Amino acid sequence: MAGKRSAGLLLHRGRGEDVEVLLGHMGGPFWAKKDAAAWSLPKGELDPDEEPEHAARREFEEELGLPAPSGEYIPLGEVKQSGGKVVTAWAVEGDLDPASVVPGTFSMEWPPRSGKQQEFPEVDRVAWFSLEVAREKLVKGQLPFLDRLLGLVGQ
């Protein structure tokens, strides 16, 4: 995974202590029984020569089945996850009903070494969380994005 780059959007609503962020629980069999540190902002890998903000918008739509929100995109910078992947993110204020999400899917061999391909949702559920709860849910490598967001909208 070293050298891989992803981009995503951190959708948020509210101000101060009422800030909430939209996170997706990672789909597929590896994450099915995990909750703590098993959620992510909607994100995905950049195509060759793709601009990161374009990839973030595309991946939002691919993962959630909804268009990327309109509004001001505020850069949150980059983080390097434990596996070496670098994630670039933007904050954007908006709202959506998690029930309206129609997640994209991916295929993988499952069970391992079975020769059988199965399809799984990119995210198997989506929810709004306070920043406090989001700190428990979000994969550790993406936690700095919450602090950066708080610096922008925490007043």
Side-chain angles (χ1 to χ4, degrees), residues 11-104:
L11 189 63
H12 65 91
R13 63 185 184 187
R15 290 273 184 255
E17 294 179 17
D18 296 326
V19 172
E20 293 182 312
V21 293
L22 184 80
L23 302 177
H25 184 268
M26 291 184 270
F30 298 118
W31 300 100
K33 295 183 180 178
K34 297 177 181 171
D35 188 58
W39 295 70
S40 174
L41 55 103
K43 65 164 187 56
E45 290 187 16
L46 279 70
D47 290 334
D49 301 320
E50 185 177 24
E51 290 296 320
E53 186 177 331
H54 181 269
R57 291 172 186 257
R58 176 182 53 75
E59 286 292 337
F60 187 95
E61 188 163 347
E62 286 180 13
E63 287 203 354
L64 304 184
L66 300 169
S70 58
E72 180 183 5
Y73 282 62
I74 302 170
L76 295 175
E78 297 181 340
V79 297
K80 189 172 187 177
Q81 297 186 155
S82 61
K85 181 180 281 188
V86 175
V87 180
T88 305
W90 284 262
V92 60
E93 189 170 6
D95 198 3
L96 67 77
D97 178 359
S100 67
V101 169
V102 181

